[in-house]
């Protein structure tokens, strides 16, 4: 059996990572998306174990100490991490494994797994990014400001990525992502 690819998708909050990954899963066979753990509170409609594994700060720390994370980082004041076990299993099964993680986590994974492919998702402008975050309606004004400040810092790291995809139109950007995945060897 061929070994699967590890694909990391980063980009500012609100750029449309979740939207594009959902489209990709519906279109590209063999894609498997890792479910991260987080200490942030669930948004309305988010399901534990599907969107994230929601953990208390103590439980997250226990798992850090137990070495259960492939990577973890603090983002917007909460901790987020990729649980190691399923990711390694799915790569060995030959799946196209997608991690939707921030640039700090991406750098950690790239150092451990140099074959990982890094893709950065951009919104067309900061104004549009803010519109999308506000349109999602999940964050307070203060949280929106934190996310926009993080976005500015993250954008400085775009040059460390293998591919940059502008999410102007969902269908067009999904096509571009599908093409990138299709071009990767197994
Ligand atoms: P992220 O996962 O990067 O934080 P989301 O996928 O949650 O972003 O998208 C943020 C908001 O922007 C959502 O309300 C989503 O429906 C919307 N959105 C995503 N892509 C586009 C697009 N190409 N054009 C307009 N709105 C979009
Ligand atoms: P959100 O709170 O909007 O779901 O996610 C906020 C940020 O956390 C995004 O930049 C997302 O990529 C990042 N993130 C989500 N899961 C992980 C993870 O497992 N590890 C790391 N390092 N970042 C993550």
């Amino acid at each position: 059996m061929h070994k699967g690819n590890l694909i990391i998708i980063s980009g500012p909050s609100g750029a449309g990572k979740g939207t594009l990954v959902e489209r990709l899963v519906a279109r590209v066979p063999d894609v498997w998306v890792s479910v991260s753990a987080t200490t942030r509170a669930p948004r309305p409609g988010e399901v534990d174990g599907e969107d994230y594994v929601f953990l208390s700060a103590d439980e997250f720390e226990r798992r850090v100490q137990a070495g259960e994370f492939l990577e973890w980082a603090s983002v917007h004041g909460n901790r987020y991490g990729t649980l190691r076990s399923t990711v390694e299993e799915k790569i060995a099964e030959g799946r196209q494994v997608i991690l939707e993680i921030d640039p700090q986590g991406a750098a950690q994974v790239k150092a451990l797994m140099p074959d990982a492919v890094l893709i950065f998702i951009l919104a067309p402008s900061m104004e549009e990014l803010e519109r999308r975050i506000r349109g999602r309606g999940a964050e307070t004004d203060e949280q929106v400001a934190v996310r926009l400040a993080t976005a500015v810092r993250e954008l400085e790291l775009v040059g460390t990525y293998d591919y940059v995809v502008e999410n102007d139109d969902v269908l067009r950007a999904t096509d571009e992502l599908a093409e990138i995945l299709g071009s990767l060897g197994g």
Side-chain angles (χ1 to χ4, degrees), residues 53-156:
V53 175
F54 294 98
L55 300 178
S56 66
D58 284 352
E59 177 60 14
F60 196 102
E61 177 59 22
R62 192 194 66 72
R63 292 189 189 212
V64 168
Q65 296 303 329
E68 290 184 25
F69 288 109
L70 181 61
E71 61 74 34
W72 66 265
S74 294
V75 190
H76 322 304
N78 289 298
R79 293 171 98 184
Y80 295 80
T82 305
L83 293 160
R84 186 190 297 278
S85 55
T86 32
V87 168
E88 288 173 349
E89 191 181 297
K90 298 292 175 184
I91 295 173
E93 281 174 12
R95 306 288 292 270
Q96 304 265 49
V97 170
I98 295 190
L99 308 183
E100 197 195 308
I101 64 178
D102 91 308
Q104 305 170 72
Q108 292 175 48
V109 175
K110 186 77 177 179
L112 289 171
M113 298 167 153
D115 291 341
V117 176
L118 269 53
I119 305 177
F120 199 94
I121 308 288
L122 284 177
S125 66
M126 282 304 278
E127 290 72 26
E128 174 63 11
L129 186 68
E130 181 166 357
R131 243 192 314 277
R132 289 182 189 175
I133 298 176
R134 290 194 187 279
R136 195 167 53 192
E139 277 91 20
T140 63
D141 281 354
E142 193 183 334
Q143 287 167 335
V144 171
V146 170
R147 279 163 191 268
L148 289 173
T150 304
V152 172
R153 283 203 308 278
E154 290 183 351
L155 285 167
E156 288 169 6

Side-chain angles (χ1 to χ4, degrees), residues 12-20 100 128 132-133 135-136 167-170:
S13 176
K17 301 178 297 295
T19 304
L20 297 178
E100 197 195 308
E128 174 63 11
R132 289 182 189 175
I133 298 176
R136 195 167 53 192
N167 178 20
D168 43 6
D169 172 81
V170 171

Side-chain angles (χ1 to χ4, degrees), residues 25 49 104 106 123 137 180:
V25 168
Q104 305 170 72
I180 293 169

